[in-house]
Amino acid sequence: MEKIAHATLEDFYREMTSMLGKDLESIFPKGLHKDIGHFNVFDIAQTIAKFKDTCEMPYNRRKYFKVSLIRGKNRAEYADKIISIQKNALLFATPKVPYHYVPEDENQSGSFCVFTDDFFNKNQPHILLEDLPLFQPGAFPVFEIDDELADEIEILFSKIKKEIDSDYVFKYDLIRNYVFELIHYGQKLQPAAKISMSHNASLRVVSLFIELLERQFPVESPNQRIHLKTAKDFADRLSIHVNYLNKNLKDSTGKTTTEFIADRLVQEAKILLKQTKWNVSEISYALGFEEIAHFSNFFKRKTNFTPLEFRL
């Protein structure tokens, strides 16, 4: 059996610089920092040139997510399934499933974007892409679409390209919304039964936990204080055993309840440290810590910075 390659983002950029004949700096997004994950967008017509002789894209498992609008005659091979595309396709790729597509004529156009889970989850840590119905095991997220829908999606990609080159401070927040819209296009193309299957009792518990957690944020005043701070706090409020809550969260997100709460506290702490003039003791109190030293040790453990170092 042929071994499937695992392509990292570094592999991807080596490929892109070779295809486009440009250096890395010229194709790397402006203003993108490591703490917000990674995102980029490309035109298919430009990047397809390298493969005109073989007319085949590499078959591998990518360590990042990819959404593609492909316009032209193609054959998409996703896991063990094959679909022939006559005109337009919308393709969603995850790190878990290998795929490639084979252009079958020279009239190839469209766009694709690549991004990491970290990029998508910066402001929505409760959403894991691989938990969405579109990315569930057994799904086949390659859709043949008509010209009208392809035109709509092309407009969305145009908005992404415009924003990524802009100097707008919050452009990546806006781009996340556009990516989420792309994902919703895919989920709407799935059979309704496929989506409804994912809403079982386990996900109901996870959803209620997330709702309780998010209700406590954002923290808008030093006098506002969160009160649900531990796994037991949430389990008691949901009237379930803490072990049951932990199991459902772990199965659905890969994180324990404590890890989930801690990640959300760190996210809010970063926002308060960067966007307010509150002193550290006020932030510590608002986030439910009894002692400022406990907050400082917690923040240092999670970020490798003290609160004051992070604020600089």
Side-chain angles (χ1 to χ4, degrees):
M1 180 177 179
E2 183 181 358
K3 185 176 180 181
I4 297 171
H6 287 66
T8 64
L9 275 170
E10 288 77 12
D11 297 328
F12 170 81
Y13 276 100
R14 278 195 292 270
E15 193 175 286
M16 287 299 105
T17 53
S18 173
M19 275 191 271
L20 299 174
K22 299 179 179 179
D23 58 32
L24 178 60
E25 185 175 343
S26 68
I27 63 174
F28 201 79
K30 293 189 299 182
L32 187 66
H33 306 293
K34 289 183 179 180
D35 62 339
I36 62 171
H38 182 82
F39 181 89
N40 213 339
V41 62
F42 296 90
D43 285 320
I44 284 177
Q46 293 178 336
T47 58
I48 199 73
K50 178 182 177 182
F51 299 100
K52 280 190 175 179
D53 292 336
T54 61
C55 278
E56 186 165 327
M57 305 298 285
Y59 187 77
N60 57 25
R61 190 192 308 270
R62 291 149 174 83
K63 293 185 177 180
Y64 48 87
F65 290 84
K66 184 176 182 182
V67 180
S68 306
L69 170 65
I70 306 168
R71 309 196 77 162
K73 189 175 181 180
N74 288 272
R75 184 176 76 253
E77 301 180 3
Y78 195 96
D80 59 347
K81 303 176 181 68
I82 299 175
I83 183 172
S84 294
I85 307 296
Q86 297 304 310
K87 293 187 71 176
N88 311 299
L90 185 59
L91 186 152
F92 298 84
T94 82
K96 288 185 176 180
V97 184
Y99 81 94
H100 69 169
Y101 75 92
V102 182
E104 296 189 333
D105 65 28
E106 293 187 356
N107 299 316
Q108 301 292 315
S109 64
S111 302
F112 69 89
C113 59
V114 295
F115 51 95
T116 59
D117 212 18
D118 288 344
F119 171 79
F120 192 84
N121 293 338
K122 178 179 181 286
N123 292 330
Q124 303 178 86
H126 57 285
I127 296 177
L128 294 180
L129 293 179
E130 291 178 356
D131 287 338
L132 296 174
L134 184 64
F135 299 125
Q136 289 297 299
F140 185 44
V142 179
F143 306 99
E144 187 164 18
I145 58 178
D146 61 25
D147 286 338
E148 183 179 358
L149 185 53
D151 289 344
E152 285 183 30
I153 295 170
E154 194 165 90
I155 290 171
L156 194 52
F157 269 108
S158 296
K159 291 180 179 180
I160 292 173
K161 292 171 187 174
K162 181 179 179 181
E163 286 305 323
I164 205 167
D165 290 329
S166 78
D167 294 322
Y168 179 47
V169 174
F170 302 107
K171 65 181 180 181
Y172 287 109
D173 293 322
L174 185 53
I175 287 172
R176 283 184 197 91
N177 291 333
Y178 291 146
V179 174
F180 210 4
E181 193 171 342
L182 284 172
I183 290 170
H184 279 299
Y185 270 110
Q187 295 199 152
K188 286 165 66 177
L189 291 167
Q190 287 194 114
K194 178 67 181 176
I195 295 176
S196 65
M197 285 172 59
S198 68
H199 293 279
N200 54 28
S202 175
L203 290 183
R204 176 67 176 161
V205 169
V206 173
S207 177
L208 289 172
F209 162 76
I210 290 167
E211 183 179 347
L212 283 177
L213 178 63
E214 289 298 326
R215 275 184 197 168
Q216 302 186 105
F217 303 100
V219 177
E220 297 179 328
S221 164
N223 297 320
Q224 177 186 345
R225 195 176 199 215
I226 68 168
H227 296 288
L228 299 177
K229 299 174 288 185
T230 68
K232 188 176 186 306
D233 290 339
F234 285 93
D236 289 347
R237 181 66 65 89
L238 294 169
S239 299
I240 58 177
H241 195 282
V242 67
N243 291 344
Y244 182 67
L245 175 59
N246 273 324
K247 182 181 185 306
N248 282 288
L249 271 174
K250 188 72 174 178
D251 289 347
S252 295
T253 69
K255 296 180 182 179
T256 66
T257 313
T258 300
E259 290 170 338
F260 214 103
I261 296 167
D263 287 349
R264 187 61 181 89
L265 287 174
V266 168
Q267 180 192 353
E268 194 69 13
K270 287 180 176 180
I271 292 171
L272 295 175
L273 286 165
K274 289 291 190 182
Q275 299 183 10
T276 75
K277 295 182 179 179
W278 305 356
N279 60 45
V280 175
S281 63
E282 289 174 321
I283 293 172
S284 172
Y285 174 83
L287 295 179
F289 290 86
E290 300 300 332
E291 301 287 343
I292 188 173
H294 295 165
F295 169 67
S296 296
N297 291 336
F298 163 81
F299 192 83
K300 178 70 179 288
R301 187 171 67 252
K302 298 294 288 187
T303 68
N304 293 323
F305 296 98
T306 67
L308 292 178
E309 287 171 342
F310 183 83
R311 174 166 263 174
L312 293 177

